[in-house]
Amino acid sequence: MPARRPEPVQGPGANGRAGSNRRAGSDGHQGGWLHELNDRWRGRHGPNGAELTQPATGENLEEQPTAGPSVPDDTRVQQVLDLAMRIGEVLLSSGEGVAETTSIMLRLADAGGLPTCEVDITFTSMTMCCHRGMVAPPVTTMRLVRYRALDLTRLTDVTLLVDRIEREEVSLIEAATELDRLTRAKHPYPRWLRTLAWAGMAASVAVLLGGGVVAATVAFGATGVIDRIGRLLNRNGLPMFFQQMAGAMLATGITAVLLYFSLLPPGTRPSLVVAATLTVLLSGLSVVGSVRDAIDGFFLTAVGRTGEIVMFSAGLLGGVVLALKGSLVFGVELSVVGPLPSSNLSLALRAFAAGLTSGLFALAAYSPVRYLPAAAGTGAAAWAMYTVLQQTGLGPVVSTGIAAIGLGVVSGLLHRLTGAPRLVITLGAITPLLPGLTAYQGFYQLAVTGVTDGLVTVMLALAIGLALAGGVALGEWLTSQVRLPTPATAPVTGAK
């Protein structure tokens, strides 16, 4: 095929102007406008007419899309993610809610230079991913939560460590070293002091429920024995379900033995002893955390925590029922006798017992000493509010819910003004409002009276627990809607 000759170039025209450089058309005329239109068509659609995604000529190229945020190298990313995951594990294992744990982990990642992270938490695992746009693949890490350790001092120290990282007072390497020291450190109080705190808490609950000195003494001794035996069972790896069952059996069995041998003075209410011990066993359950996770939309974790509560409560039920059945064989009946007398103890004394209950729980949970008065005062005020509402004719569920809202408001204000973690105040303050006596009454009815009455009473105890947890969550949310000045001495987390 012969080579195509070049198109002739027009010279100067007759009028003296420069000729056009455009090619002549096939008909011999000057068809520059037609060829220009054809070139534009080919530049946009290509030779075969298919539309191109990018313009063909360099003059019409648009600006390239951004590749994504600039992130540190892989080493820095791994350091930040590992530190955030370890801190999240401490928070989640201590009973902190998923929303708060996620917020703290993301704050830490942002302070470490990773603003594009996502966190996914379930009841037993955590996953964290750092997105790096189109310049590098994402980095994802996962960690399992294998233990549950209620140490409020460790929780507080870890929260303050995050605040120091945000204020750039410590580097990531120093923070990792500090976190390793905090997680490996011994508990702030000796173990025998914790046993005394649990026992003293049971005694104060017995007084709070209307019992006398004898009931308080028996509750003190029984709870101390239960705690030491439970520690031995836990050291041998017995699952928590059976530990709860053993504790409930011991609480009911010790009281039945004392009653069988007539070692309890006349007028002693044995049911208050069992109810006080059950309150101690119920206090470690994460009722508030499960309800709050459900309210915040973390349903998977809420279901997991609810399942844990159901299993541990079933252990208490099984232990109480077995002990009651055994005591009936020997003619010992530990029934719940009538309404509680209100004239034996003044409201002020019972409020003091409520405050003592909250303070001792905080001590048993290894709370920092500086927060013990706040927990005790909040618990006493919440119980006093509950009692006043009860006397006005409101039912136990409504009274508990309103008192819990007030408790949540106080804990939220203390958190924002002082930076104290909410759990440090809330866990101890809700203890006097736990339905220990109602739960025991339901267990007794299931074992002795009848299934129908027992189920109704157990559902009432469950409703009280839900009102307690929901009221606390609502109260804390209300405080988050109020703007408060943050003191200069308060940690950064208090300004949330």
Side-chain angles (χ1 to χ4, degrees):
M1 182 176 183
R4 183 178 180 180
R5 292 181 299 174
E7 297 288 345
V9 180
Q10 298 293 333
N15 56 7
R17 291 180 299 180
S20 173
N21 290 331
R22 293 177 230 175
R23 296 173 299 175
S26 59
D27 56 357
H29 295 284
Q30 299 293 331
W33 66 271
L34 183 61
H35 287 288
E36 184 176 356
L37 180 62
N38 186 42
D39 290 341
R40 291 183 180 180
W41 171 265
R42 289 179 179 273
R44 182 182 301 174
H45 295 272
N48 57 358
E51 186 173 358
L52 300 178
T53 58
Q54 296 292 340
T57 60
E59 297 177 354
N60 296 327
L61 285 177
E62 298 180 357
E63 183 180 358
Q64 293 293 332
T66 57
S70 176
V71 295
D73 56 13
D74 292 344
T75 302
R76 177 76 174 188
V77 171
Q78 189 60 40
Q79 288 176 347
V80 176
L81 292 184
D82 181 73
L83 182 61
M85 294 289 282
R86 291 172 60 194
I87 287 179
E89 181 183 18
V90 174
L91 297 176
L92 194 63
S93 64
S94 299
E96 187 64 85
V98 176
E100 184 69 13
T101 302
T102 302
S103 174
I104 292 177
M105 293 175 66
L106 292 178
R107 282 167 44 202
L108 177 59
D110 189 38
L114 307 182
T116 56
C117 289
E118 293 183 1
V119 177
D120 181 37
I121 297 178
T122 66
F123 181 59
T124 57
S125 65
M126 298 182 299
T127 304
M128 191 170 185
C129 177
C130 174
H131 297 282
R132 301 192 288 180
M134 295 188 295
V135 298
V139 178
T140 304
T141 181
M142 176 182 174
R143 196 177 187 94
L144 297 180
V145 181
R146 302 181 182 274
Y147 66 93
R148 306 287 168 180
L150 187 58
D151 190 334
L152 297 180
T153 294
R154 182 179 300 166
L155 174 67
T156 304
D157 292 341
V158 168
T159 304
L160 295 178
L161 177 61
V162 175
D163 298 332
R164 293 171 58 197
I165 296 173
E166 288 185 305
R167 294 193 296 265
E168 299 182 355
E169 296 179 1
V170 294
S171 64
L172 290 180
I173 302 299
E174 294 172 344
T177 304
E178 180 69 14
L179 179 62
D180 187 68
R181 185 189 65 82
L182 292 176
T183 54
R184 294 178 181 271
K186 295 182 178 180
H187 295 300
Y189 313 126
R191 190 61 179 80
W192 60 266
L193 182 60
R194 192 188 193 199
T195 299
L196 291 179
W198 287 127
M201 175 183 164
S204 60
V205 170
V207 174
L208 180 65
L209 295 176
V213 177
V214 176
T217 304
V218 175
F220 181 92
T223 304
V225 172
I226 292 172
D227 182 72
R228 302 311 298 181
I229 295 178
R231 178 173 172 80
L232 179 62
L233 296 177
N234 184 64
R235 187 180 301 172
N236 291 328
L238 184 68
M240 193 63 186
F241 172 83
F242 297 106
Q243 292 184 39
Q244 292 285 93
M245 179 179 291
M249 289 182 62
L250 287 172
T252 310
I254 290 174
T255 307
V257 169
L258 294 176
L259 190 61
Y260 179 78
F261 289 102
S262 302
L263 298 178
L264 297 178
T268 303
R269 303 169 65 89
S271 59
L272 299 185
V273 177
V274 182
T277 308
L278 289 180
T279 301
V280 175
L281 295 174
L282 286 171
S283 60
L285 302 182
S286 56
V287 179
V288 175
S290 61
V291 174
R292 182 158 189 163
D293 287 342
I295 293 175
D296 292 336
F298 299 96
F299 300 108
L300 184 60
T301 307
V303 170
R305 288 184 169 178
T306 302
E308 181 186 64
I309 294 172
V310 171
M311 287 300 299
F312 293 168
S313 300
L316 294 179
L317 171 62
V320 171
V321 170
L322 288 177
L324 287 175
K325 291 291 186 180
S327 63
L328 289 176
V329 174
F330 295 95
V332 178
E333 186 175 354
L334 300 175
S335 60
V336 182
V337 183
L340 298 177
S342 58
S343 58
N344 290 348
L345 296 172
S346 64
L347 179 61
L349 181 58
R350 298 177 72 174
F352 174 80
L356 186 61
T357 300
S358 299
L360 289 174
F361 175 86
L363 179 64
Y366 299 117
S367 174
V369 177
R370 62 183 179 276
Y371 296 136
L372 295 181
T378 306
W383 188 88
M385 183 185 300
Y386 164 79
T387 303
V388 171
L389 293 173
Q390 276 275 75
Q391 292 178 353
T392 59
L394 296 177
V397 177
V398 177
S399 301
T400 301
I402 297 177
I405 293 175
L407 191 157
V409 169
V410 173
S411 65
L413 291 176
L414 290 175
H415 169 71
R416 297 185 62 188
L417 293 175
T418 66
R422 295 184 181 93
L423 283 180
V424 176
I425 308 299
T426 303
L427 289 182
I430 67 172
T431 306
L433 301 178
L434 290 175
L437 183 61
T438 305
Y440 173 69
Q441 183 177 2
F443 296 165
Y444 175 82
Q445 290 173 343
L446 286 174
V448 179
T449 305
V451 176
T452 303
D453 295 338
L455 289 178
V456 171
T457 308
V458 169
M459 291 300 296
L460 176 61
L462 177 62
I464 293 174
L466 292 177
L468 181 59
V472 170
L474 178 59
E476 293 178 350
W477 177 84
L478 291 175
T479 58
S480 67
Q481 306 303 307
V482 180
R483 293 185 178 181
L484 295 174
T486 304
T489 57
V492 177
T493 186
K496 182 180 178 181

